[in-house]
Amino acid sequence: MNASARLTTLTRLGFATRGLLYIVIAFLILRTGRAEDPAGALRYLGESGGQLLLGVMAAGLIGYGIWRLSDAAFDIERHGSDRHGTLQRVGALASGVTHLFLAWQAIRLMQGAASSGDSTREGTQTALSLPGGSFLVMLGGVVLVGVGILQLAKAVKASFLDYLDPAIARQAWAQWSGRLGYGARGFVFMITGYFLLRAGFQEQGAEAGGMDKALAWLTNPWDIVIALGLLGFGIFGLIEARYRRLHDAPIDGMVRRATGRA
């Protein structure tokens, strides 16, 4: 198996890991009312499943993150060069960085390191201390609201089905798990964007927050509705792990070029 094929295998493991994290997030809300983000779900699984599970998830998240960055750099998913394609590649870049950060957190948990707190709030506070920081934070809020709107558009158009095996894409369970999932994620992104806008306007980093704060902010029954949607997104992640059509990243060529220069 060449390097590109190995990365594709790890990417599928990454889709499964992401799906599992969202299933845990939904489970915690529905069963205990506890609001967590993917990093919190990672900690929960680490406490329950131990080092082996964390190691498997870290490997999957690394593969997924590298594959997303490769998509941003080389357009391996054939997004195109128009405005929509450019936005897709920017989204792939953000997703790649986010999931590599999650992989780093999994490795830190394996080493016994404690959580460092709310990274969104800390990052916002750091940004506010910079010249023009409040504008930067509000700009980040606008971007997150925009991402949320794009997620809702995906839910309506069901464009996520384009990447699945056609036979699976026609199945109602694949369609509705994706629709519910992207819809729920869209609302969560919009809420976190609102928190950033408020933090920037008031110049208070404490006003910012990630998915965990957004879910805790929701009142009954909306927290249950969003949790069910996130459960759908987790299930769709497992579907993607098995049935998504993946294009290989050009890893082998990069390795050959690097080896040749050496």
Side-chain angles (χ1 to χ4, degrees):
M1 184 183 293
N2 58 32
S4 295
R6 285 194 291 269
L7 178 60
T8 299
T9 299
L10 284 177
T11 300
R12 292 195 182 279
L13 179 59
F15 273 109
T17 298
R18 186 179 69 162
L20 179 60
L21 292 177
Y22 274 89
I23 289 172
V24 169
I25 291 169
F27 169 80
L28 290 174
I29 296 172
L30 295 171
R31 290 295 299 271
T32 68
R34 173 178 164 186
E36 292 287 0
D37 59 5
L42 195 63
R43 288 192 298 272
Y44 177 84
L45 287 171
E47 293 166 1
S48 306
Q51 298 273 5
L52 178 60
L53 180 59
L54 281 173
V56 171
M57 290 192 297
L61 290 168
I62 290 171
Y64 183 85
I66 293 173
W67 183 78
R68 282 296 192 192
L69 294 180
S70 299
D71 187 25
F74 305 112
D75 194 20
I76 59 177
E77 289 291 276
R78 317 291 196 268
H79 300 299
S81 57
D82 59 3
R83 185 179 65 175
H84 178 72
T86 300
L87 287 174
Q88 292 283 78
R89 293 174 71 177
V90 170
L93 173 63
S95 178
V97 172
T98 298
H99 287 87
L100 287 177
F101 180 69
L102 273 176
W104 176 78
Q105 289 180 306
I107 293 169
R108 293 270 292 167
L109 288 170
M110 291 173 66
Q111 295 171 340
S115 172
S116 59
D118 190 327
S119 59
T120 302
R121 195 168 301 172
E122 292 170 0
T124 302
Q125 193 63 57
T126 300
L128 287 172
S129 67
L130 300 173
S134 59
F135 171 77
L136 292 174
V137 170
M138 287 191 287
L139 179 61
V142 171
V143 170
L144 274 179
V145 171
V147 170
I149 293 171
L150 289 175
Q151 296 278 297
L152 292 175
K154 273 189 175 184
V156 172
K157 297 178 181 178
S159 56
F160 50 84
L161 296 173
D162 295 342
Y163 300 102
L164 293 183
D165 181 285
I168 301 302
R170 290 192 291 269
Q171 302 299 317
W173 44 269
Q175 296 171 10
W176 284 104
S177 61
R179 284 183 187 275
L180 292 172
Y182 278 100
R185 284 227 312 171
F187 282 114
V188 170
F189 276 122
M190 292 174 71
I191 294 168
T192 54
Y194 162 73
F195 289 154
L196 273 184
L197 285 168
R198 189 170 65 181
F201 183 76
Q202 299 180 4
E203 298 187 357
Q204 293 289 331
E207 294 294 327
M211 180 181 289
D212 52 345
K213 183 174 179 177
L215 294 173
W217 180 78
L218 292 166
T219 57
N220 188 276
W222 299 112
D223 56 341
I224 304 300
V225 171
I226 295 298
L228 290 172
L230 295 178
L231 176 61
F233 189 79
I235 293 170
F236 188 73
L238 299 182
I239 294 171
E240 286 187 294
R242 174 64 180 85
Y243 296 109
R244 184 175 173 121
R245 294 178 294 171
L246 297 176
H247 300 283
D248 287 343
I251 302 297
D252 295 300
M254 295 168 62
V255 171
R256 284 194 295 270
R257 285 193 295 271
T259 304
R261 291 194 187 99

